[in-house]
Amino acid sequence: MRSVMLGVGSYLPTRVLTNAELAKRVDTSDEWIRERTGIRQRHIAAEGERTSDLAIDASRKALEAAGREAKDIDLIIVATTTPDLTFPATAARVQAALDVHQGAAFDLQAVCSGFIFALATADNFLARGQAKTALVIGAETFSRLLDWEDRGTCVLFGDGAGAVVLEAQADAGDRGVISTFIRTDGRMHDLLYVDGGPSQTQTTGKVRMIGNAVFRQAVEHISGAMLEACARAQVSIDAVDWFVPHQANQRILDGVARKLGIPVDKVVSTVGVHGNTSAASVPLALDAAVQDGRIKPGQLVLMEALGGGLTWGAALVRL
Ligand code: UT7
């Protein structure tokens, strides 16, 4: 049984926030942000626009691309760090809005690694026969968690959503999710966190990050996860057609490519125009490269991410 990726969709809020605008709010510059991160702009959700709204739009597009309907979906996983409410799950609102009346829907929290964790989770449900067709979504309104006076974090993040439809198929040939690898090391909890939450402070809190410490962990663990996903599938990294990384920083993308000897033109980069959209970044980048015709059916795609927790992981998929 293989989990075949039948369709991808994504959504970006209309409002674009440029580096120049940010330079008016905090002590930063377009030059610093571009040089240190590669980010030129990011999208910001409108007032009243919720994570579920972004997720619903991306999901509708993914369903259309997949040729599937609400009646086919029996599992919805929303990877998010910015749920609409503390409870119920954002996935419940997504399920209702899509008119899905069967199966389970829940949120998954692995911050920027959320989409990879959700993909691995859905793949396991499908492999065990506990669901047939899953919507796996990464959706964030990360701007709501930003301290707009902290130049070390507010310039990095943006909002958006991406979704894929996965279907269990017995006769998929070599298509589908081939291997996944996910990992958490809670000892690095304090490198990247939000200083609020219902249990600890009864507030939502703001993002806090020791950026250069996370950066040092990122290249090493992302490279390791990619090699592990390939090893589990007995596939060489050279056989991969496209690398779709979590979009945190262009220097991380370049560092990983250098370390593993990957040609840069095989790496999909959207960080310049999306910024870091946390759990949404991988499916947003995947959709961008599918839409513009770079990624074609039958090609081998390796996705990866690292985020708060720390969490990290990779997923190897033949489209
Ligand atoms: O998605 C989850 C995972 N997250 C990541 O992977 C993020 C990983 N980290 C990074 O991408 C980078 O560490 C950052 C982009 C966050 C920071 O870049 P850096 O090259 O590591 O800079 P730094 O934190 O070491 O700071 C260097 C200097 C500092 O000034 P001093 O102390 O040298 O005077 C900062 O205060 O840059 C300063 N700085 C800024 N200057 C202008 C930090 N942020 C800014 C800013 N504008 N926005």
Side-chain angles (χ1 to χ4, degrees), residues 44 115 159 224 235 299:
I44 303 289
F115 182 76
D159 302 335
V235 163
Q299 288 190 317

Side-chain angles (χ1 to χ4, degrees), residues 28 32 36-37 112 151 211-212 246 248-249 251-252 276 306:
T28 190
W32 191 96
R36 297 289 183 118
T37 71
C112 299
R151 67 176 183 176
N212 47 21
H246 169 50
N249 187 325
R251 283 159 55 217
I252 297 176
N276 181 347
L306 176 134

Side-chain angles (χ1 to χ4, degrees), residues 137-295:
I137 306 159
E140 301 279 16
T141 48
F142 216 85
S143 61
R144 316 288 200 225
L145 290 178
L146 295 175
D147 174 352
W148 291 100
E149 289 174 7
D150 175 14
R151 67 176 183 176
T153 52
C154 76
V155 304
L156 303 173
F157 296 93
D159 302 335
V164 300
V165 175
L166 283 187
E167 187 168 88
Q169 292 185 2
D171 53 358
D174 61 356
R175 288 184 72 198
V177 178
I178 300 170
S179 68
T180 58
F181 169 77
I182 57 171
R183 184 79 170 86
T184 302
D185 189 339
R187 289 171 298 181
M188 290 180 280
H189 179 282
D190 294 347
L191 296 186
L192 175 51
Y193 66 101
V194 164
D195 61 4
S199 166
Q200 191 160 314
T201 64
Q202 296 84 57
T203 62
T204 307
K206 301 289 178 208
V207 174
R208 306 293 168 208
M209 176 166 71
I210 307 174
N212 47 21
V214 177
F215 192 104
R216 280 195 292 277
Q217 297 295 327
V219 175
E220 184 192 333
H221 289 310
I222 288 168
S223 307
M226 290 162 71
L227 292 175
E228 182 61 34
C230 284
R232 287 179 179 189
Q234 296 180 296
V235 163
S236 120
I237 203 110
D238 302 332
V240 175
D241 295 301
W242 291 102
F243 297 85
V244 181
H246 169 50
Q247 310 283 324
N249 187 325
Q250 187 61 44
R251 283 159 55 217
I252 297 176
L253 272 58
D254 295 342
V256 170
R258 228 177 3 253
K259 192 174 162 93
L260 299 183
I262 296 166
V264 285
D265 57 3
K266 281 187 168 188
V267 182
V268 177
S269 173
T270 51
V271 67
V273 286
H274 297 167
N276 181 347
T277 57
S278 184
S281 96
V282 171
L284 269 166
L286 180 68
D287 194 38
V290 168
Q291 292 300 328
D292 69 20
R294 272 179 291 170
I295 298 182

